[in-house]
Amino acid sequence: MSEEVSQPADDATDSAERAFRAGFVSFVGRPNVGKSTLTNALVGEKIVITSEKPQTTRRVIRGIVHRPDGQLIIVDTPGIHRPRTLLGERLNALVETTLGDVDVIGFCVPANEKIGPGDRFIDERLNDFPRAKKVAILTKIDSASQTEIIDQLTKLGAMREWDAVVPISSTEDQQLDILSEVLLDLMPESPALYENETITDESEDERIAELIREAALAGAREELPHSLAASVDDREEREDGLIEIYASVYVERDSQKGIVIGKGGQRLKSIGETARKGIEELLGQRVYLSIRVKVLKEWQRDPKALGKLGF
Ligand code: GDP
Ligand code: MG
């Protein structure tokens, strides 16, 4: 095979002439429409929590897509929703500051669910950010029929004058390259804003804590997600290269502590095993992980506790 040889010469000229672009993009949409999965798929490394449960992404995390002709910095927001607690209010404030600052907003709607009031609520909020270019992203096209996809694209197109409309599947890697290109085309001309190897600027400890939180949430009952937080308390590298990590999982009530720990500690043990595998992949080193479960009463409503957990 001689693919390299047969590559047309003007291809190289083209990309050399195209101006380098860099900028910020944020994906918005109802919970569970696939924002985090999309971020992960574009960046190519697991950095954002995905989960079956709504609203597990609680932090603004940046993922960076490096391309020869530009850089896409993805700001993952917790999602726009009605505030119910102090945590909810802070999350909404975070969304506002984030969106006021991005070059492109990607509005995500799943192909396999009807556009509803939740989508329209968010779409209307996009008017508050006139500076940002707006792209409609139809997600999960692998789980919808051709007719459904076309129907949904028509409805999306009628909502507003989008700068682009792109159907994608993150799990089946459909049209992700096209989406990257479209997003990059809408970015301002700019030199690279981050070093080439940077994938996220979230600290390693925070990423470890997210992995633990994600493991604790997997298979958890509905009542748990909003009351779970995790932190890394201490890290120590042993002489044999093993890294000892001491972490805490916070719940709000004693009853929840029992749920996380499970009968005879079985659930906590499997949480630890799952999280450890993810952390070892992240760090590229063997890990000893110790997790303690602590009750922090009503932490979602307590400013001091929120501060301690980095919100
Ligand atoms: P978020 O709340 O918008 O961040 O949504 P997530 O990224 O956490 O995804 C919610 C659920 O949708 C998860 O179970 C994902 O596995 C699933 N999902 C995300 N993208 C796709 C996709 O392209 N195809 C399919 N079939 N499922 C997807
Ligand atoms: Mg998410």
Side-chain angles (χ1 to χ4, degrees):
M1 295 295 285
S2 57
E3 269 179 45
E4 284 140 64
V5 182
S6 69
Q7 200 159 17
D10 61 358
D11 230 39
T13 334
D14 249 23
S15 59
E17 276 170 12
R18 202 182 300 157
F20 198 90
R21 295 174 184 276
F24 294 82
V25 55
S26 188
F27 300 125
V28 301
R30 281 185 291 113
N32 269 339
V33 297
K35 302 177 295 293
S36 302
T37 311
L38 173 59
T39 302
N40 290 342
L42 288 177
V43 175
E45 187 180 324
K46 193 169 191 187
I47 51 148
V48 183
I49 296 188
T50 61
S51 153
E52 308 281 334
K53 306 268 184 315
Q55 288 166 26
T56 46
T57 311
R58 294 136 47 104
R59 224 180 275 277
V60 173
I61 299 170
R62 288 175 181 151
I64 302 170
V65 183
H66 301 278
R67 292 175 63 104
D69 51 350
Q71 232 173 34
L72 283 178
I73 298 131
I74 303 171
V75 190
D76 193 60
T77 67
I80 300 167
H81 55 91
R82 292 238 174 94
R84 277 182 300 154
T85 61
L86 181 59
L87 174 66
E89 271 171 43
R90 290 204 182 176
L91 290 182
N92 272 0
L94 214 59
V95 173
E96 301 268 314
T97 7
T98 307
L99 292 186
D101 215 33
V102 295
D103 302 290
V104 179
I105 297 174
F107 176 60
C108 298
V109 170
N112 60 348
E113 288 170 43
K114 284 226 155 65
I115 295 174
D119 301 303
R120 294 188 200 285
F121 172 76
I122 294 168
D123 175 60
E124 274 162 32
R125 295 278 301 273
L126 296 189
N127 294 332
D128 298 341
F129 309 99
R131 193 183 85 84
K133 305 225 168 98
K134 293 167 192 82
V135 174
I137 302 168
L138 189 67
T139 61
K140 310 190 189 184
I141 58 167
D142 60 285
S143 57
S145 72
Q146 204 67 17
T147 326
E148 284 172 316
I149 293 170
I150 291 166
D151 186 48
Q152 200 81 328
L153 284 173
T154 311
K155 284 184 178 135
L156 258 178
M159 283 175 99
R160 69 166 65 232
E161 294 234 351
W162 302 100
D163 289 281
V165 179
V166 188
I168 58 134
S169 165
S170 305
T171 51
E172 302 302 311
D173 192 1
Q174 288 169 2
Q175 306 250 325
L176 292 177
D177 265 2
I178 290 172
L179 178 62
S180 289
E181 241 164 70
V182 166
L183 293 175
L184 206 54
D185 274 345
L186 294 171
M187 293 297 167
E189 285 185 23
S190 156
L193 300 170
Y194 284 82
E195 301 272 332
N196 244 337
E197 60 275 14
T198 319
I199 290 173
T200 169
D201 68 0
E202 191 189 22
S203 84
E204 218 164 59
D205 276 3
E206 281 170 42
R207 293 173 70 183
I208 292 169
E210 295 282 16
L211 286 169
I212 294 169
R213 195 178 120 80
E214 180 183 19
L217 279 181
R221 290 204 221 146
E222 287 298 333
E223 64 195 73
L224 268 181
H226 284 284
S227 344
L228 259 183
S231 72
V232 172
D233 306 322
D234 202 12
R235 274 169 76 161
E236 220 166 290
E237 183 148 5
R238 290 199 330 213
E239 274 176 15
D240 59 2
L242 192 84
I243 299 182
E244 292 179 357
I245 295 174
Y246 296 88
S248 303
V249 166
Y250 298 93
V251 293
E252 279 186 341
R253 293 190 292 275
D254 290 324
S255 61
Q256 296 171 331
K257 188 174 173 178
I259 295 173
V260 173
I261 292 172
K263 248 210 179 111
Q266 275 307 310
R267 221 176 144 253
L268 184 58
K269 200 173 153 210
S270 86
I271 291 170
E273 271 164 22
T274 308
R276 183 177 51 77
K277 278 184 200 139
I279 298 166
E280 287 183 337
E281 216 168 280
L282 173 71
L283 301 178
Q285 265 172 298
R286 281 195 311 129
V287 164
Y288 165 82
L289 177 64
S290 157
I291 302 175
R292 309 187 84 184
V293 184
K294 296 172 185 170
V295 180
L296 210 58
K297 295 230 155 68
E298 294 284 308
W299 67 263
Q300 291 194 26
R301 292 170 209 281
D302 176 4
K304 242 163 80 190
L306 284 174
K308 195 177 158 204
L309 294 169
F311 286 106

